Amino acid sequence: MSNVASSTSAPSLPREPRPMLRVCYLGLGWIFVGLGLLGAVLPLLPTTPFLLLAVWAFARSSRRLHDWLYHHPRFGQSLRSWRDHRVISWRAKTASLSMMSLSMVYVAILTPSPVWAKMLTALCLCSVGAWIATRPSAPPSPSRRPVSGPETP
């Protein structure tokens, strides 16, 4: 694992907190991992935001767990893409926007919630959906030299 961790340029981690605070961060990290794993199988619960919170908590409590999550075969790539380029993959965007749309339809049609609650839900889902849709889907391409016109004497 040390070869994998050292092959990428990761930002330095915060210094280790006091032992009691470290235990709190460690527990919080595992709670977020659990919520993220639930989100992988439950359509209404997001995965990546919880795993990003888990990485944040593990960065303050366990270098080993932090690196494990960043290099996880299933979740690591999306976490690294967000960390390095603030990118949300096209696949993740499609999945999250589709599930948010289905959730909005479900709440609007099938729940006995008051109209204000349905409107508030729609506002939140539309706001988050717009934010997700406006994130880049791929890292920026390497910068190229600008092509200049014909040389003039």
Side-chain angles (χ1 to χ4, degrees):
M1 180 191 285
S2 62
N3 292 341
V4 174
S6 64
S7 68
T8 60
S9 60
S12 62
L13 297 177
R15 63 185 176 97
E16 216 169 276
R18 286 173 268 160
M20 191 59 184
L21 195 53
R22 182 178 181 268
V23 169
C24 290
Y25 281 129
L26 195 60
L28 201 55
W30 280 115
I31 289 169
F32 289 138
V33 166
L35 289 170
L37 292 176
L38 279 175
V41 295
L42 295 176
L44 299 178
L45 197 62
T47 300
T48 305
F50 287 120
L51 294 179
L52 287 169
L53 289 169
V55 166
W56 171 82
F58 287 152
R60 287 151 180 74
S61 60
S62 170
R63 176 71 184 214
R64 183 178 60 85
L65 292 172
H66 172 270
D67 291 346
W68 166 74
L69 211 46
Y70 263 128
H71 300 290
H72 190 275
R74 173 82 171 104
F75 305 114
Q77 181 58 47
S78 61
L79 296 172
R80 289 189 307 274
S81 292
W82 180 255
R83 176 194 67 198
D84 298 340
H85 305 288
R86 297 298 189 247
V87 165
I88 301 173
S89 72
W90 181 84
R91 182 178 173 194
K93 281 184 184 185
T94 303
S96 49
L97 294 173
S98 298
M99 294 314 296
M100 287 193 295
S101 298
L102 288 174
S103 299
M104 194 167 7
V105 168
Y106 174 79
V107 167
I109 296 173
L110 299 174
T111 63
S113 304
V115 173
W116 66 266
K118 293 178 181 187
M119 296 297 283
L120 184 62
T121 301
L123 178 66
C124 290
L125 289 174
C126 287
S127 299
V128 172
W131 185 84
I132 288 171
T134 58
R135 300 306 99 197
S137 297
S141 60
S143 61
R144 298 178 186 206
R145 289 181 42 173
V147 178
S148 59
E151 291 186 24
T152 56

